[in-house]
Amino acid sequence: MERMLQEDWRLMSLSGKQEYTVQDILELPEGERAELIDGEIFFMASPTTTHQEIAGWIYAEIRNYIKEKNGKCRVFISPFAVFLKNDDKNYVEPDVCVICDREKLDNQGCHGAPDWMVEVVSSSSRRMDYYRKLSAYQEAGVREYWLVDSLKKTIVVYNLEQEEMPVVHPFGATVKVGIYEDFAIDFSQMTDYDFK
């Protein structure tokens, strides 16, 4: 029965019959994950080990920085609910996100745009991360967006607040974080991963 429900959801999402809401996401069968952008639903594939290692490493770097500085911002790792435009048509689960306005946080997740979003790009998420999410995050008011691409071995940094051209850094570079004055992440320290 559960498998049938999952397949029904997939068929409904592909048919394009209706516009979806956050309620549809909340009613997904156990274990099924999806995101919602402007009422369109996108099912999420299970992440690879490399994806999880990279996301976890970035999360730890950010968390350590915030802790050392006694910072007010909070960092979260997926799965974490972001009601992106604080409406019922947009819901994402970024790999890593930083929220500095604690008024946006409750036990359900973040209501509104985080300050900084990081997506670890995989082959199944490439179009979503580079195009759909970039546009959605910019519209919602995200200040900074990073795409960490293990296939291309690059970190693409968008300063959405300043509307600057993206800066592409190779793996191994030290990348300055735009929302902080004194924080950079040294990607040369991320040496234990077999990027495939």
Side-chain angles (χ1 to χ4, degrees), residues 104-116:
K104 293 181 178 180
L105 295 170
D106 66 14
N107 279 334
Q108 290 184 318
C110 176
H111 299 270
D115 294 86
W116 178 19

Side-chain angles (χ1 to χ4, degrees), residues 44 58 66 72 76 93 136:
M44 300 168 72
I58 292 168
I66 291 172
K72 66 174 182 143
F76 297 92
E93 293 183 4

Side-chain angles (χ1 to χ4, degrees), residues 2-173:
E2 184 174 292
R3 184 177 182 87
M4 207 164 98
L5 280 174
Q6 288 177 348
E7 297 202 4
D8 286 347
W9 267 100
R10 290 184 191 284
L11 289 172
M12 285 171 61
S13 70
L14 296 174
S15 69
K17 287 184 188 174
Q18 71 181 62
E19 187 173 73
Y20 293 90
T21 67
V22 170
Q23 189 60 39
D24 294 312
I25 297 288
L26 300 176
E27 292 174 358
L28 285 172
E30 182 78 25
E32 187 82 39
R33 290 176 55 214
E35 295 179 303
L36 189 67
I37 296 180
D38 295 328
E40 189 174 349
I41 199 165
F42 300 92
F43 287 91
M44 300 168 72
S46 295
T48 64
T49 302
T50 299
H51 179 282
Q52 291 301 86
E53 287 180 325
I54 294 170
W57 183 82
I58 292 168
Y59 167 82
E61 291 291 305
I62 298 168
R63 186 177 182 281
N64 290 340
Y65 170 81
I66 291 172
K67 187 174 179 182
E68 285 171 14
K69 298 291 182 176
N70 292 313
K72 66 174 182 143
C73 300
R74 301 278 307 274
V75 60
F76 297 92
I77 191 166
S78 183
F80 177 74
V82 175
F83 303 89
L84 189 61
K85 297 179 183 176
N86 206 13
D87 63 11
D88 70 342
K89 302 276 192 256
N90 292 277
Y91 170 92
V92 293
E93 293 183 4
D95 292 317
V96 180
C97 65
V98 175
I99 297 114
C100 298
D101 180 356
R102 291 192 178 202
E103 293 291 314
K104 293 181 178 180
L105 295 170
D106 66 14
N107 279 334
Q108 290 184 318
C110 176
H111 299 270
D115 294 86
W116 178 19
M117 307 277 258
V118 179
E119 296 288 2
V120 178
V121 179
S122 61
S123 56
S124 65
S125 72
R126 185 165 300 283
R127 173 168 274 155
M128 182 74 158
D129 293 338
Y130 275 99
Y131 302 104
R132 297 294 297 250
K133 285 189 175 178
L134 171 61
S135 177
Y137 292 174
Q138 192 165 22
E139 285 175 21
V142 173
R143 295 168 59 196
E144 185 166 357
Y145 179 40
W146 287 22
L147 290 154
V148 180
D149 193 326
S150 63
L151 292 175
K152 293 182 177 181
K153 296 184 174 53
T154 58
I155 303 101
V156 182
V157 176
Y158 289 89
N159 182 339
L160 300 177
E161 198 171 38
Q162 303 298 323
E163 297 184 9
E164 296 173 353
M165 291 296 291
V167 178
V168 180
H169 302 272
F171 272 23

Side-chain angles (χ1 to χ4, degrees), residues 57 61 172-176 183-191:
W57 183 82
E61 291 291 305
T174 298
V175 183
K176 170 82 176 71
F183 182 31
I185 297 179
D186 181 0
F187 279 85
S188 71
Q189 299 299 311
M190 190 176 63
T191 56

